[in-house]
């Protein structure tokens, strides 16, 4: 039996080899997006080839964060990363061509940015913790960011970021330490540098998992956790609910 278009599942593409981090990301995106975990299928790009994904079978695609950096030299990347990024390039070309509902988070902003010719480098990396994100005028008018205040706190933690976007992209949000915190291409293709799925327990999990991955001094793990616990990060998950709602609405309009 085939499902109605607005009943299709969402696809979460993960580059997280650590099972605890991957499972936490999956559960958080499902919970904050208003989805059951069965409505959000998890696919590990780090361990298996994606192949020619049939977009018609999905309501939307989400690409999460993880330890990859698109701006690293090719010879510094593992064979798995090179394969995953080749698969992503093929997928993103079709996503952009079809203006298919897509949301890239953290690593996802670099992958999408690289695909459209943005400059992705290490000029604007941000340490793990909360930053104040400010919406641009376009961001305040964008349905993905509806219901979010003009400025809000969000969790970040990344080594690379976008330092310049092509004219085809619209900047939706920025911060004092990173000029592109969110952007859109077309009407339905989005990416954020900050993590819309992260709450304090989720950030604690990431700190534990990536303690020795070069994001921070391992001895500062406890202080980072304490700082996260004192932050006021409440608004970013709204973005996930809006993304799911937009994708469902688009599917209904297509019927």
């Amino acid at each position: 039996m085939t499902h109605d278009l607005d009943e299709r599942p969402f696809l979460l593409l993960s580059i997280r080899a650590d099972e605890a981090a991957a499972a936490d990301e999956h559960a958080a995106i499902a919970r904050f997006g208003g989805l059951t975990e069965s409505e959000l299928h998890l696919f590990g790009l780090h361990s298996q080839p994606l192949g020619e994904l049939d977009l018609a079978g999905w309501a939307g695609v989400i690409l999460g964060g993880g330890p990859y950096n698109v701006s690293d030299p090719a010879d510094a990347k593992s064979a798995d990363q090179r394969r995953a990024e080749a698969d992503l390039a093929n997928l993103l070309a079709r996503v952009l061509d079809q203006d298919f509902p897509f949301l890239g988070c953290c690593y996802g902003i670099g992958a999408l940015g690289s695909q459209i010719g943005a400059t992705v480098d290490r000029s604007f990396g941000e340490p793990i913790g909360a930053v104040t994100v400010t919406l641009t005028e376009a961001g305040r008018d964008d349905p993905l960011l509806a219901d979010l205040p003009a400025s809000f706190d969000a969790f970040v933690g990344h080594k690379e970021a976008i330092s310049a976007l092509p004219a085809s992209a619209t900047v939706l949000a920025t911060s004092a330490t990173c000029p592109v915190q969110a952007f859109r291409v077309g009407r339905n293709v989005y990416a954020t540098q900050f993590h819309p799925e992260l709450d304090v327990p989720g950030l604690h999990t990431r700190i534990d998992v990536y303690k020795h991955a070069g994001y921070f001094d391992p001895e500062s793990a406890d202080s980072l956790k304490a700082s996260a616990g004192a932050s006021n990060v409440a608004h970013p998950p709204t973005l996930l609910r809006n993304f799911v709602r937009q994708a469902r609405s688009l599917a209904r309009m297509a019927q």
Side-chain angles (χ1 to χ4, degrees):
M1 180 182 295
T2 59
H3 290 104
D4 292 336
L5 289 176
D6 60 348
E7 293 178 345
R8 291 175 300 175
F10 287 77
L11 178 64
L12 171 59
L13 300 175
S14 174
I15 59 168
R16 299 188 188 277
D18 184 274
E19 291 184 6
D24 183 76
E25 181 179 61
H26 182 211
I29 291 176
R31 181 172 73 255
F32 291 130
L35 301 167
T36 65
E37 291 193 34
S38 64
E39 292 174 317
L40 180 66
H41 180 75
L42 177 64
F43 186 95
L45 277 174
H46 61 282
S47 61
Q48 54 190 320
L50 183 61
E52 193 73 14
L53 183 71
D54 182 7
L55 290 174
W58 304 95
V61 176
I62 299 170
L63 173 59
Y68 292 172
N69 291 288
V70 298
S71 62
D72 284 347
D75 60 4
K77 297 177 180 180
S78 68
D80 285 339
Q81 180 176 351
R82 292 194 297 271
R83 173 192 47 75
E85 290 184 344
D87 284 349
L88 281 172
N90 177 55
L91 173 64
L92 288 171
R94 291 185 292 123
V95 162
L96 290 162
D97 182 62
Q98 298 179 34
D99 196 21
F100 186 81
F102 175 88
L103 175 63
C105 308
C106 197
Y107 171 75
I109 200 172
L112 180 61
S114 178
Q115 186 72 24
I116 63 172
T119 301
V120 184
D121 57 30
R122 297 203 175 201
S123 300
F124 297 102
E126 293 174 298
I128 289 178
V131 300
T132 299
V133 174
T134 301
L135 300 182
T136 64
E137 182 177 354
R140 292 193 296 272
D141 291 337
D142 193 280
L144 185 76
L145 301 168
D147 308 320
L148 274 74
S151 291
F152 56 91
D153 287 349
F155 286 127
V156 299
H158 53 101
K159 299 175 183 177
E160 66 179 7
I162 290 176
S163 57
L165 277 171
S168 59
T170 301
V171 179
L172 301 177
T174 186
S175 70
T177 48
C178 184
V180 183
Q181 283 287 350
F183 75 87
R184 185 192 71 239
V185 185
R187 296 186 63 183
N188 300 299
V189 180
Y190 293 92
T192 67
Q193 185 64 75
F194 62 90
H195 287 273
E197 84 287 358
L198 269 187
D199 55 10
V200 171
L203 187 64
H204 284 186
T205 296
R206 305 281 174 86
I207 290 171
D208 288 337
V209 169
Y210 298 111
K211 188 174 182 178
H212 300 286
Y215 290 96
F216 56 89
D217 180 350
E219 294 184 357
S220 69
D222 288 341
S223 64
L224 288 173
K225 289 181 180 180
S227 178
S231 63
N232 182 28
V233 175
H235 296 288
T238 300
L239 185 153
L240 292 169
R241 293 193 294 274
N242 288 346
F243 177 73
V244 169
R245 184 177 65 223
Q246 279 183 239
R248 294 290 196 214
S249 177
L250 187 67
R252 285 192 294 271
M253 287 171 27
Q255 287 182 308

